[in-house]
Amino acid sequence: DLIAWDPNGSTTGAPGAVSTGNIKWTHAESAPIYGGVLSTAGDVLFYTTLDPANTFHALDATNGNPIWSASLECPSTGNPITWKGTDGKQRVAIYSGVGAMVGGMGAMGGNTGKPCTSANGGTVHVYTLP
């Protein structure tokens, strides 16, 4: 699951113990979140999972609600990045492809055994944000 922690929440419990007192929200996932999570100033979170569809997710950072998703042809264990183009538009990108993880899990569609359909070994996906 993706968990958002409230930095102003309570920290009750014994030292070193996990406390649920400062969890702001959770978003359930059926497969591992193996790459990084990108948080934007516009309160959007981007990340990928190793699910059967190799999904690239965008969530509302304030409440964990899904905003958008895309299915990639290969899994991704990389980190999403964002930038503003010379045209003034914000973009987000993620790499997906064969060899994303030692042991072949990346090449086999995460934890599903689904083969990667990319003929070129990988793709950088770029999306323009509204």
Side-chain angles (χ1 to χ4, degrees), residues 32 34 50 54 75 77 99-114:
Y34 207 77
L50 296 178
N54 304 316
T77 58
M101 186 168 56
V102 175
M105 198 167 147
M108 293 304 294
N111 61 355
T112 67
K114 174 185 163 192

Side-chain angles (χ1 to χ4, degrees), residues 21-106:
N22 53 351
I23 292 177
K24 188 170 182 177
W25 53 259
T26 62
H27 182 78
E29 289 295 348
S30 61
I33 300 170
Y34 207 77
V37 176
L38 170 69
S39 176
T40 70
D43 287 328
V44 179
L45 299 176
F46 292 98
Y47 65 98
T48 59
T49 58
L50 296 178
D51 66 335
N54 304 316
T55 307
F56 185 35
H57 300 269
L59 301 182
D60 183 320
T62 62
N63 56 27
N65 291 334
I67 296 173
W68 168 87
S69 67
S71 181
L72 308 177
E73 82 285 352
C74 295
S76 176
T77 58
N79 298 314
I81 62 170
T82 186
W83 71 95
K84 187 181 250 185
T86 56
D87 59 1
K89 295 182 180 179
Q90 190 77 19
R91 290 177 174 76
V92 64
I94 188 73
Y95 168 80
S96 72
V98 177
M101 186 168 56
V102 175
M105 198 167 147

Side-chain angles (χ1 to χ4, degrees), residues 3-31:
I3 300 171
W5 297 91
D6 182 354
N8 298 314
S10 67
T11 55
T12 60
V18 175
S19 170
T20 59
N22 53 351
I23 292 177
K24 188 170 182 177
W25 53 259
T26 62
H27 182 78
E29 289 295 348
S30 61

